[in-house]
Every structure is written in structure tokens, then in C-alpha cells.
Amino acid sequence: MASNRMYADATYDLAILYGTGLVLGSFRLCDFPYSYPQAAQYLREACEQKHPIALRLMKLYGGLASPRERWTRIEQQQLENSTADKTNLYASRLATVGPKCPPQKHIRGAP
């Protein structure tokens, strides 16, 4: 069902947001209150909803003892995927958003 898939996508997106501060691999919210426990909860829920990327991330990084290490690796993978995917509208510009962001316009690949 499409609605179930959208719910799983939203749950996965929340996991990534709380764990890395990234929004769809396009923006980094600099002043977002990261929460590894909340991120882990959303990632577990996305796995229960059979979200394919959440399942893959849990398989790759779920066994790491340190939540910080887990989410650092997930963030690195998200950044690599967003810049490698040439069909991604934002692949060439991961913009920082929020009042606490550094003055730079983009983090990666700024033209």
C-alpha cells in the first residue's frame, strides 16, 4: 500500500534527521537537537515497517556498540550517496540550514 510505504519513508527520514541532522541527503540542519536514542527508535520502527534502506543500515551498522559511531557511519554513507547520485536534485549542493550554521554556503561540491 502506498500509504504504508510513505509512512515507512517518513519514519526512516526522521531516523536520519535525529541521527545525522540531514534532511533527505540535501540539507544539514545545524541547530537541530540530535538524539541518538530517538534516531534509534525511528530506525527500529522503519525496519519493522520493512523500509529497505533502514533494514540495510541496521544490518550494516546496528551491531556497533557506540551510537555515535553508528550514526557517524550512517551520515558518511548518506553524504556519499547524495553526492554520487547524479539524479539527485541536490547532489551537487548539500546546503546548511539554520541560524547556527557556519557562514559557508555549502558543505560539499559547491559550484
Side-chain angles (χ1 to χ4, degrees):
M1 233 191 257
S3 62
N4 290 341
R5 175 59 191 201
M6 288 187 287
Y7 184 71
D9 287 344
T11 305
Y12 167 77
D13 291 343
L14 285 169
I16 297 301
L17 177 62
Y18 275 97
T20 67
L22 297 174
V23 179
L24 298 176
S26 306
F27 298 96
R28 177 187 304 282
L29 299 178
C30 300
D31 52 353
F32 189 80
Y34 299 96
S35 171
Y36 296 141
Q38 188 65 57
Q41 177 63 34
Y42 282 125
L43 189 61
R44 279 192 299 275
E45 288 178 21
C47 287
E48 291 169 4
Q49 298 158 3
K50 308 286 190 245
H51 189 277
I53 300 171
L55 290 166
R56 183 170 48 84
L57 292 178
M58 188 63 84
K59 182 178 179 181
L60 290 172
Y61 307 117
L64 296 175
S66 163
R68 181 180 180 92
E69 181 181 2
R70 177 181 312 121
W71 288 101
T72 297
R73 289 191 185 189
I74 290 172
E75 178 179 7
Q76 290 169 345
Q77 184 177 51
Q78 293 290 310
L79 292 172
E80 289 170 8
N81 290 346
S82 70
T83 56
D85 181 3
K86 300 306 178 195
T87 63
N88 182 340
L89 177 62
Y90 302 104
S92 64
R93 56 186 171 86
L94 181 64
T96 55
V97 179
K100 294 182 182 176
C101 290
Q104 65 196 35
K105 184 177 179 184
H106 305 292
I107 293 177
R108 292 177 173 257

